[in-house]
Amino acid sequence: MVEFVFDTARSLTDLISAGPLERHPGLGIVVPHCGGALPVLADRIDGFSRPFMPGEAPVPDASAQLRRLYYDLAGPAFPRQVPALLRPADPARLLYGSDYRRTPAEAARSHAASFDTEPAPVPGTDRRSLTTANARSLFPRLAH
C-alpha cells in the first residue's frame, strides 16, 4: 500500500547516481508524492553515495541535484511531509498534485483544503498562489 513512497526514493537515488541530471542540466523532472520517503533520506543518499561512486569523476552532490527537481504535493502532504521536503527542495519548485481519479474525491478535496490551513514557505504567498506560479514557470505556454 505504501511501497510507492520507497520506490520514489529508490528511483531518485538511481537517477542521482547515474548522472543524467549532471549531464542534462536543463532537464525538468517532476517527482511525485512530495518525493515519497526521499526528504528524510536525502542526507543518507548524499553520504552513502560518495564512498561507493566508482571512477575518477567528481561525485554528484545529491542535495544540489534534489534542489533542482520539481515536486508535486499529491497525497497527505501536511502537517509533516512538506516541511520535511523543504529541507532538500526549493519552494519555487513545489507543484500542486491531487492524484484525483486514483484518490477518492473526498480525500482529494481534503488534501486541497489543507493547502489553505498551512503557512506558505515563501513570504507574501499562500500555498495555492505559490504552486500556481511555479506551474506557470515550468509550463509557460499553459500560463494563459
Side-chain angles (χ1 to χ4, degrees), residues 78 96 107-118 128:
F78 299 104
Y96 175 73
R109 279 192 289 277
S110 174
H111 170 68
S114 72
F115 275 59
D116 297 328
T117 60
E118 295 293 324
R128 289 177 191 242

Side-chain angles (χ1 to χ4, degrees), residues 52-76:
F52 299 105
M53 293 293 285
E56 300 296 319
V59 176
D61 180 343
S63 297
Q65 290 187 55
L66 293 172
R67 196 145 182 85
R68 288 186 28 222
L69 302 174
Y70 290 87
Y71 298 86
D72 88 21
L73 304 182

Side-chain angles (χ1 to χ4, degrees), residues 116-142:
D116 297 328
T117 60
E118 295 293 324
V122 176
T125 67
D126 58 39
R127 297 263 178 204
R128 289 177 191 242
S129 68
L130 177 65
T131 57
T132 298
N134 294 346
R136 287 182 176 143
S137 173
L138 180 59
F139 301 110
R141 68 181 180 172
L142 301 177

Side-chain angles (χ1 to χ4, degrees), residues 1 9-10 14-15 21 33 42 46 81-82 86 98 100-102 114 125-126 128 141-142:
M1 178 93 182
R10 280 189 207 106
D14 289 345
L15 187 70
L21 296 174
H33 305 110
D46 210 16
Q81 188 74 20
V82 170
L86 287 171
S98 71
Y100 180 68
R101 301 266 321 160
R102 297 274 183 217
S114 72
T125 67
D126 58 39
R128 289 177 191 242
R141 68 181 180 172
L142 301 177

